[in-house]
Structure formats: structure tokens, C-alpha cells
């Protein structure tokens, strides 16, 4: 194994340790780290974690990142985990359903004066009939082998940041997951 690979593995292990610590803090009601972050940088870093696996599965991840988004306030690492979960789920859906069009598109946009969105679209199998991301829902998944824990965690993180995570069918097949986050301007 080359030194670069070992360093990447060590970095991911360190990141996983931080994530577990943050999740434990949330579960115990402790204050989470609040800071200012750039959503586009968070998206790019998150995609960097998923891209090698996507490449191995012959899935392309594209981006359309809005220029001049306002800085957001919150826990950058937790928002990064949301994006990782959504992009990984999108790649898994494409692979599981053996889609011909093997593309994930991640978009950021200023939705309004006080909201920014990150949108993850895939060309996978879409959402099952009746699939919803509702506040009272337990574990739910569109994957045959998934438990829905990643979506549940992602929804919880987005809501803790005063945001909303929604899901819809993508016209032409696939799914669209949208995380809407406040800019803090209001």
C-alpha cells in the first residue's frame, strides 16, 4: 500500500471519529460547534469522499455550484455528512437499478433572500410509491438493502440547522433530494 493511500485511510478514520463524537453530542443534547462555512466548499469536499467509489462504479458526479452564495452558520462537518449521505445514496441507486444514464448532479443555489439549497439529483431507480421524508417517519429507504439510517440522520442534521430536507421523483426517472438551509439574513 502506498503512503498516499495510508494517509487517506488515516484521514477518513480521524474524520469518522469526529463524526461519531458530534453525533453523540447531538444525542446527549450538547451544543454543537457553530461556525461560518462556504456551502460550495462543503459540497466539493463531500463529493471528494464519494467520487472514487462512484468512478469505480462508472457513475459520473457533476456539479452546478452557484457563485457568490452567502456564508452559512452551523456545523460544517455535519452538513458535509448530509451531502456525503445524499450523494452516496444517489450513486447506490444508480448502481442497484443498473441505470443506463449513470449521472449524479449536485447543485447549489440561492433559493431566496434567506434560504440556500443543495440539490442532489440522480438517474437511478427513483422513489418507491408513497416514499416520504416526514417528521414522524421512522427509518425509510428507497434501496433494497438499505435501512434508511443515513436519510434519518441527514434529515435530523438539516432540521437542527433550521432547514428542511425533501425528496421528490425526478422527471425522466431517478430522485431529487433538496436540503434548504437558512442564510441567517432574517
Amino acid at each position: 500500500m502506498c503512503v498516499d493511500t495510508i494517509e487517506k485511510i488515516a484521514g477518513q478514520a480521524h474524520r469518522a471519529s469526529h463524526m461519531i463524537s458530534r453525533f453523540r453530542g447531538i444525542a446527549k443534547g450538547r451544543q454543537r460547534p457553530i461556525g461560518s462555512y462556504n456551502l460550495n466548499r462543503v459540497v466539493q469536499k463531500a463529493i471528494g469522499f464519494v467520487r472514487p467509489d462512484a468512478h469505480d462504479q462508472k457513475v459520473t458526479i457533476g456539479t452546478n455550484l452557484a457563485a457568490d452564495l452567502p456564508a452559512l452558520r452551523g456545523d460544517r462537518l455535519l452538513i458535509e455528512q448530509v451531502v456525503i449521505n445524499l450523494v452516496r445514496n444517489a450513486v447506490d441507486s444508480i448502481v442497484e437499478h443498473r441505470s443506463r444514464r449513470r449521472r449524479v448532479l449536485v447543485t447549489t443555489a440561492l433559493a431566496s433572500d434567506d434560504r440556500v439549497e443543495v440539490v442532489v439529483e440522480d438517474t437511478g431507480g427513483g422513489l418507491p410509491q408513497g416514499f416520504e421524508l416526514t417528521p414522524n417517519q421512522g427509518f425509510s429507504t428507497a434501496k433494497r438493502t438499505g435501512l434508511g439510517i443515513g436519510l434519518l440522520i441527514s434529515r435530523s442534521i438539516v432540521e437542527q440547522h433550521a432547514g428542511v430536507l425533501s425528496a421528490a421523483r425526478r422527471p425522466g426517472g431517478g430522485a431529487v433530494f433538496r436540503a434548504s438551509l437558512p442564510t441567517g439574513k432574517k
Side-chain angles (χ1 to χ4, degrees):
M1 215 181 273
C2 72
V3 173
D4 189 41
T5 302
I6 292 170
E7 287 175 355
K8 283 182 182 178
I9 292 170
Q12 289 180 356
H14 186 258
R15 184 182 179 288
S17 172
H18 271 60
M19 289 304 304
I20 291 168
S21 174
R22 297 251 174 103
F23 288 137
R24 280 186 182 149
I26 289 170
K28 292 179 180 181
R30 281 188 254 142
Q31 183 71 20
R32 62 186 191 276
I34 302 295
S36 181
Y37 66 92
N38 178 298
L39 183 60
N40 287 341
R41 285 193 199 121
V42 167
V43 166
Q44 290 167 332
K45 189 167 182 183
I47 289 171
F49 282 108
V50 181
R51 186 166 269 136
D53 291 335
H55 179 75
D56 290 346
Q57 299 291 338
K58 297 180 176 41
V59 175
T60 302
I61 301 174
T63 59
N64 184 6
L65 306 179
D68 301 326
L69 289 178
L72 301 180
R73 295 211 31 89
D75 187 327
R76 176 195 55 79
L77 194 60
L78 291 179
I79 296 299
E80 184 180 290
Q81 188 61 47
V82 168
V83 178
I84 289 170
N85 289 349
L86 296 178
V87 174
R88 191 174 309 271
N89 284 349
V91 170
D92 290 348
S93 177
I94 290 168
V95 171
E96 183 175 303
H97 291 90
R98 298 186 177 126
S99 300
R100 285 187 181 179
R101 295 182 338 259
R102 300 174 74 81
R103 181 167 171 81
V104 175
L105 177 63
V106 183
T107 304
T108 60
L110 185 62
S112 66
D113 282 345
D114 64 338
R115 306 294 291 178
V116 172
E117 292 181 337
V118 59
V119 180
V120 178
E121 296 181 51
D122 68 63
T123 56
L127 300 172
Q129 194 66 29
F131 179 90
E132 291 185 66
L133 283 173
T134 61
N136 298 324
Q137 142 198 336
F139 298 129
S140 182
T141 183
K143 295 189 229 176
R144 279 182 245 160
T145 58
L147 296 175
I149 295 171
L151 280 178
L152 187 66
I153 290 169
S154 295
R155 187 189 72 213
S156 176
I157 291 169
V158 170
E159 288 173 355
Q160 288 173 0
H161 284 79
V164 176
L165 180 63
S166 62
R169 292 175 186 246
R170 182 180 169 272
V176 178
F177 285 85
R178 181 179 314 272
S180 172
L181 298 164
T183 62
K185 287 187 177 182
K186 277 193 173 180

